[in-house]
Amino acid sequence: MWEADTLLEHMYNEAIREAKDRQVSMSPSERKLLLKQVLRQLIGEFEINVNHKPVLLERVPCEGYVRERVELSAVPGVSYAAYVLIPDGSQGKPMPAVVAVHGHGYGSREIVGLREDGSTDTDQPGIHRHFAVELARRGMVVIAPDVAGFGERRLMADLARDPDTPNSCHRLSTQLMMYGKTVAGLRVAETLGAVGHLAERSEVQPGRIGIMGFSGGGLISFLCAALDERIRAAVLAGYPNTFKDSIMEIRHCVCNYIPGILNHAELPEWLGLMAPRPLFLESGTHDPIFPAAGFNAAVDRLREIYRREGSEENLQTDLFPGAHQISGRHSYDWLFEQLNRPDMPPPLPRIRF
């Protein structure tokens, strides 16, 4: 047979079989620790910029909150901007906080109520639904970092070829892979830098930080939550699925692929590294790139994981009527409630990534 379809199917089945064999050969806690160690290696580690001081770029009063823009740096030689939304009425009392991670589009402006040129977006929100603003209006400090490769962070080499290039995912992904690293690893390092910035702000309760990401931002969010327990609750939107039903079946941006990850576990088990911490999954019934069948299969596996950890109530889901988009009809309020729980564990020490 000239086509390689059978080969690919065989490789998938063998990878899953071997992962299951390893799973039964160790305790769940040993398995979780091993997967976290492997995950760090798979996405590639980056040197951390420990000496950078945040720079305030602007401060703008908005309806119900103040919008700041700060410049951060997590990796030496690279800086990035992030919007910080601070709800009105805090009266000096620290509040829970959320890292909001956008997906493919024109960057963090798309989730903080701005157009691509930085002007106020008064039109009907797109698939990101200005979700950072929605979270801030519920009483959480929100930081929305610019993800590498989008908006103002597209590469000069790509813009020189095409000023309208939508993103720089391909160049970033392929070149970093040549060094044994991934663009996911870079994005995680920078997102955890945003977590660190939140934890140091006077408006924020450092032990009550969550994360919410959409689509490719869901990938970044789950990786951050899996690797850093400073993140106490997470919402993953338009991403939860199985590799088999989505990433392997449907053409996605190359930034979604992490070499070797399927040799160790299917996506639901990777998502389960968040357990027993609170986790909310949402997806649209007609999402063409993260199908409902794969979402349901992932949820079933995750329920097993959370049940084993004695925390099944900490896993909540919403398969809403819609396509590839943010819903928020339950997840916004759920995240606020989780980060305000009176039984929230005390702050954990900062983990260097």
Side-chain angles (χ1 to χ4, degrees):
M1 187 176 292
W2 291 3
E3 299 83 3
D5 301 69
T6 302
L7 172 63
L8 293 176
E9 186 69 21
H10 173 74
M11 291 180 68
Y12 176 83
N13 291 334
E14 281 297 294
I16 297 303
R17 182 187 62 79
E18 292 176 5
K20 288 181 178 178
D21 288 344
R22 288 191 294 271
Q23 186 175 0
V24 299
S25 68
M26 60 184 71
S27 70
S29 60
E30 291 173 332
R31 171 76 171 163
K32 181 184 285 189
L33 179 60
L34 175 63
L35 286 180
K36 288 184 178 184
Q37 293 170 342
V38 167
L39 189 57
R40 281 193 171 88
Q41 296 167 0
L42 289 174
I43 65 175
E45 297 192 59
F46 289 80
E47 180 184 355
I48 297 303
N49 188 357
V50 296
N51 297 317
H52 176 75
K53 301 297 182 185
V55 178
L56 179 62
L57 302 177
E58 67 177 31
R59 184 176 172 86
V60 180
C62 300
E63 185 178 347
Y65 61 94
V66 171
R67 185 184 69 236
E68 291 186 356
R69 202 176 197 204
V70 297
E71 183 182 67
L72 306 174
S73 176
V75 176
V78 184
S79 59
Y80 58 103
Y83 286 103
V84 182
L85 310 184
I86 307 164
D88 293 343
S90 64
Q91 299 176 338
K93 181 180 179 181
M95 294 173 282
V98 180
V99 183
V101 190
H102 65 81
H104 284 65
Y106 59 80
S108 62
R109 287 174 173 167
E110 194 162 358
I111 65 175
V112 299
L114 299 175
R115 296 192 177 99
E116 189 170 3
D117 62 4
S119 61
T120 301
D121 185 1
T122 56
D123 297 332
Q124 186 72 19
I127 60 175
H128 282 84
R129 297 291 193 267
H130 298 168
F131 77 90
V133 175
E134 294 293 339
L135 295 171
R137 285 180 172 157
R138 282 164 172 77
M140 293 170 279
V141 177
V142 181
I143 188 168
D146 275 330
V147 175
F150 298 103
E152 295 176 287
R153 300 199 66 199
R154 290 171 292 174
L155 297 177
M156 297 300 296
D158 286 331
L159 292 171
R161 289 174 176 266
D162 177 9
D164 296 320
T165 189
N167 59 67
S168 291
C169 292
H170 183 271
R171 186 180 294 269
L172 276 169
S173 297
T174 54
Q175 295 203 17
L176 284 170
M177 280 192 284
M178 297 295 284
Y179 301 104
K181 299 183 184 296
T182 65
V183 70
L186 173 62
R187 289 169 175 173
V188 166
E190 293 188 334
T191 304
L192 292 181
V195 173
H197 177 69
L198 277 182
E200 294 169 356
R201 293 186 66 108
S202 61
E203 307 97 336
V204 171
Q205 293 178 277
R208 296 179 181 272
I209 295 175
I211 196 165
M212 180 170 182
F214 170 63
S215 193
L219 166 63
I220 301 167
S221 297
F222 113 69
L223 293 170
C224 289
L227 294 172
D228 196 328
E229 293 202 4
R230 289 178 300 172
I231 297 172
R232 309 308 296 151
V235 175
L236 307 179
Y239 178 76
N241 221 270
T242 67
F243 288 139
K244 180 68 171 177
D245 289 301
S246 179
I247 300 298
M248 304 283 286
E249 179 67 21
I250 298 163
R251 180 172 292 186
H252 284 265
C253 177
V254 67
C255 70
N256 284 279
Y257 297 85
I258 299 173
I261 195 169
L262 195 48
N263 288 330
H264 301 276
E266 244 285 7
L267 181 54
E269 189 175 3
W270 290 112
L271 299 178
L273 294 179
M274 178 78 186
R277 288 168 288 158
L279 175 62
F280 193 106
L281 311 177
E282 70 171 36
S283 192
T285 53
H286 296 92
D287 190 324
I289 56 177
F290 292 97
F295 176 82
N296 286 328
V299 168
D300 289 343
R301 178 69 183 105
L302 277 160
R303 290 206 188 284
E304 295 176 8
I305 294 172
Y306 270 77
R307 188 179 302 118
R308 186 184 65 213
E309 298 243 3
S311 57
E312 190 173 4
E313 72 283 356
N314 282 349
L315 176 66
Q316 298 295 322
T317 67
D318 182 23
L319 185 62
F320 61 87
H324 187 60
Q325 61 195 75
I326 285 273
S327 167
R329 63 177 183 174
H330 303 307
S331 58
Y332 298 150
D333 292 335
W334 176 91
L335 187 54
F336 177 79
E337 291 167 4
Q338 295 305 311
L339 294 177
N340 280 281
R341 284 169 57 167
D343 60 345
M344 180 72 69
L348 295 171
R350 181 171 181 179
I351 300 172
R352 293 293 180 186
F353 177 74

